[in-house]
Amino acid sequence: MTPPLASQSNPVADLKVLVVEDDPNVRLGCVQAMQLAGIPVDGVASAEAGRRIVGPDFPGVVVTDMRLPGIDGLQFLREVVAQDTALPVIMITGHGDVTLAVEAMRSGAYDFIPKPFSPEHLVEVVRRALEKRALTMEVESLRRRLDHRDAIEARLIGRSPQMETVRRLLLELADTSVDVLIVGETGTGKEMVARCLHDLSSRSAANYVALNCGGLPDNLIDSELFGHEAGAFTGAQKRRIGKIEHANGGTLFLDEVESMPMAVQIKLLRVLQERMVERLGSNALIPVACRVVAATKEDLRELADRQKFRPDLYYRLNVARVELPPLRERREDIPLLLEHFMLHAAQVHQRAIPQIAREQLQQLMAHDWPGNVRELRNAAECLVLGLRRDFGAAPTPDARGASLAEAVENFERSLIAAELRRQNGSLSRTSETLQVAKTTLHDKIRKYGLAG
């Protein structure tokens, strides 16, 4: 016996069937057959009702009778196929409708089932159609992700394993509705990541709303987030839509969430749990469907343990977590980032891109960059403008106390990676430039995982 569709571990289980049939008994029989097979199903009595459900990228297949009141099944088929040529449509035909069945197949129908038919035959045809639909949607999803990969690599620059991990995670999370917590030091690009999550998602046409929780006085952040009615407090002369409500259907980005007052944290938690917002001075609950992306440079778990942040809000925000590495931990990305920022600065200021001497690049590679990517961008602008910047000559151990050996290895790895890139991967030219034997260089490349 074939197991129920919903219990099978494959993408088909996430799809559904729409049955369009004006005969209530036939419609009920089709719906019950799907339900007994574990297939999610909806049933409607007309093509007009089906129109309201079926759109581009409809996650399933359509089963429709050929003869319907109003718009008939053949016209409905043509409309559906016109907006999504890959959507499987199964036609139910009556006795003597062979000519119409042939016309339906020419118009793009996936298959047709002549009446009378058994529930088992219907389920068998629907299963095949669902498998085809699942494969089509999986391929389309992969194509979109590949398109997004080009976009995300142009915005989150770097060839280090750390940045590749970040990009891969963002591609996985972008088109979901899950709330995200971004953790990283100042200047690591948390807002850029939040913007990527929005722009690469199906929410991109809706609002992206950003609020810096540390940039507002405590008495204003409540009104900014939740909005207020006229007369809610002194000075509230007219209704104001809050950031949460304005982000409905889109993305709400909360930067420096660790600085949010405790009273506001409680209200935000309620919104996240119930997806309803209540303006100040109002008793009306307003449904909201926004994705929340929060960013912090602090350890929220530690703050929660010290009663500086609500633990329940931390766990609610920490559904999916993106950790951004500091620049000192991905020094091999510095030359590429520097080139990108100098190119941008040169265009803005109408200046030529300066040539960076090897000794100067070594200084840049050795610098600890406490301001991370933001500091490097400022440095690139200064270089384009001809302003002198002294970045020191050697790396210093980071705040976690890297040993001298670790600091030396990090610098050596970064220097070799940068020179390999400049020499387009040529071992001979890199060996000559760095004045090291090719065998030694080859060993170091293998040691630091720089091969390929």
Side-chain angles (χ1 to χ4, degrees):
M1 182 176 182
T2 305
L5 187 62
S7 67
Q8 295 177 5
S9 178
N10 59 55
V12 174
D14 298 325
L15 303 181
K16 66 178 180 180
V17 176
L18 174 66
V19 176
V20 184
E21 171 61 68
D22 62 316
D23 187 321
N25 293 324
V26 175
R27 183 170 69 250
L28 178 61
C30 292
V31 168
Q32 288 181 338
M34 298 298 112
Q35 291 172 337
L36 288 172
I39 303 173
V41 59
D42 291 324
V44 296
S46 67
E48 288 81 358
R51 274 175 168 175
R52 294 192 288 269
I53 298 174
V54 180
D57 298 323
F58 173 71
V61 304
V62 174
V63 177
T64 179
D65 194 1
M66 183 73 76
R67 300 186 182 277
L68 295 169
I71 299 174
D72 65 18
L74 193 57
Q75 184 179 343
F76 182 52
L77 163 69
R78 288 168 176 157
E79 289 182 4
V80 167
V81 171
Q83 67 181 359
D84 188 346
T85 57
L87 176 62
V89 179
I90 301 167
M91 308 295 297
I92 297 175
T93 62
H95 181 69
D97 283 342
V98 176
T99 303
L100 286 176
V102 172
E103 181 64 24
M105 297 298 288
R106 287 175 176 170
S107 298
Y110 171 76
D111 205 344
F112 69 93
I113 302 176
K115 295 178 182 177
F117 54 86
S118 67
E120 292 78 13
H121 180 53
L122 173 64
V123 169
E124 180 185 353
V125 175
V126 166
R127 282 188 187 280
R128 291 200 306 267
L130 285 170
E131 289 171 358
K132 179 178 184 293
R133 184 60 167 166
L135 179 60
T136 300
M137 296 190 75
E138 188 176 348
V139 170
E140 183 58 31
S141 174
L142 177 60
R143 184 178 295 114
R144 284 197 299 264
R145 288 176 63 187
L146 291 174
D147 291 342
H148 286 165
R149 176 172 292 278
D150 293 338
I152 201 171
E153 286 185 351
R155 297 171 69 175
L156 297 178
I157 296 170
R159 297 171 182 167
S160 62
Q162 297 96 318
M163 288 308 296
E164 180 57 35
T165 298
V166 169
R167 287 192 294 265
R168 187 165 57 247
L169 180 56
L170 293 186
L171 288 171
E172 293 292 334
L173 293 174
D175 216 15
T176 69
S177 59
V178 66
D179 295 331
V180 179
L181 180 64
I182 305 172
V183 182
E185 295 179 5
T186 298
T188 48
K190 296 187 287 295
E191 183 163 8
M192 174 66 77
V193 167
R195 189 78 214 205
C196 284
L197 283 170
H198 175 77
D199 291 346
L200 301 181
S201 75
S202 56
R203 302 170 179 268
S204 59
N207 290 330
Y208 170 84
V209 182
L211 177 67
N212 189 319
C213 301
L216 287 172
D218 290 359
N219 62 334
L220 289 183
I221 189 171
D222 199 318
S223 176
E224 281 289 317
L225 264 179
F226 306 103
H228 63 254
E229 297 289 346
F233 51 85
T234 303
Q237 297 179 355
K238 59 181 180 179
R239 171 185 291 176
R240 178 181 174 83
I241 301 299
K243 299 291 188 185
I244 296 174
E245 193 176 344
H246 187 49
N248 190 26
T251 302
L252 175 67
F253 175 55
L254 300 175
D255 199 7
E256 297 187 32
V257 70
E258 71 277 1
S259 61
M260 182 179 289
M262 278 288 185
V264 180
Q265 291 182 32
I266 296 172
K267 295 181 69 173
L268 176 63
L269 177 64
R270 183 182 176 189
V271 171
L272 294 179
Q273 290 173 336
E274 301 177 6
R275 297 295 167 173
M276 307 281 281
V277 67
E278 183 178 328
R279 300 190 195 112
L280 297 176
S282 172
N283 293 322
L285 292 174
I286 303 166
V288 288
C290 66
R291 175 193 226 172
V292 175
V293 179
T296 180
K297 60 181 181 295
E298 304 289 345
D299 185 338
L300 291 188
R301 175 64 182 273
E302 181 184 346
L303 292 180
D305 291 342
R306 291 164 42 203
Q307 304 299 311
K308 300 289 187 181
F309 196 85
R310 287 191 63 89
D312 43 8
L313 179 57
Y314 164 69
Y315 289 116
R316 187 63 187 79
L317 291 173
N318 195 39
V319 180
R321 184 185 183 97
V322 178
E323 297 190 10
L324 300 183
L327 192 53
R328 63 179 175 273
E329 291 182 3
R330 56 181 187 109
R331 295 180 189 270
E332 61 266 43
D333 290 338
I334 290 175
L336 193 60
L337 284 165
L338 181 68
E339 181 181 354
H340 171 76
F341 291 139
M342 286 198 303
L343 179 61
H344 181 263
Q347 291 173 339
V348 170
H349 299 292
Q350 297 295 300
R351 299 287 186 91
I353 299 177
Q355 292 294 321
I356 305 299
R358 181 163 167 258
E359 293 75 15
Q360 195 171 16
L361 180 60
Q362 288 177 347
Q363 282 193 349
L364 294 167
M365 296 283 287
H367 185 56
D368 260 356
W369 302 106
N372 291 292
V373 176
R374 183 182 297 135
E375 183 185 357
L376 179 60
R377 184 179 59 208
N378 294 340
E381 189 166 21
C382 288
L383 289 169
V384 168
L385 293 173
L387 305 176
R388 293 189 59 180
R389 291 292 300 271
D390 183 10
F391 299 100
T396 57
D398 63 28
R400 284 163 292 183
S403 67
L404 177 61
E406 289 172 334
V408 170
E409 285 191 352
N410 286 337
F411 177 60
E412 186 176 60
R413 180 180 187 275
S414 301
L415 191 60
I416 293 173
E419 195 59 41
L420 275 170
R421 192 175 300 116
R422 289 182 60 186
Q423 302 298 340
N424 295 319
S426 170
L427 191 67
S428 298
R429 291 198 299 271
T430 303
S431 168
E432 182 179 347
T433 304
L434 295 179
Q435 299 178 19
V436 61
K438 278 203 296 186
T439 53
T440 303
L441 179 61
H442 186 264
D443 290 341
K444 289 184 181 296
I445 289 173
R446 288 200 306 172
K447 174 184 176 181
Y448 296 130
L450 299 174

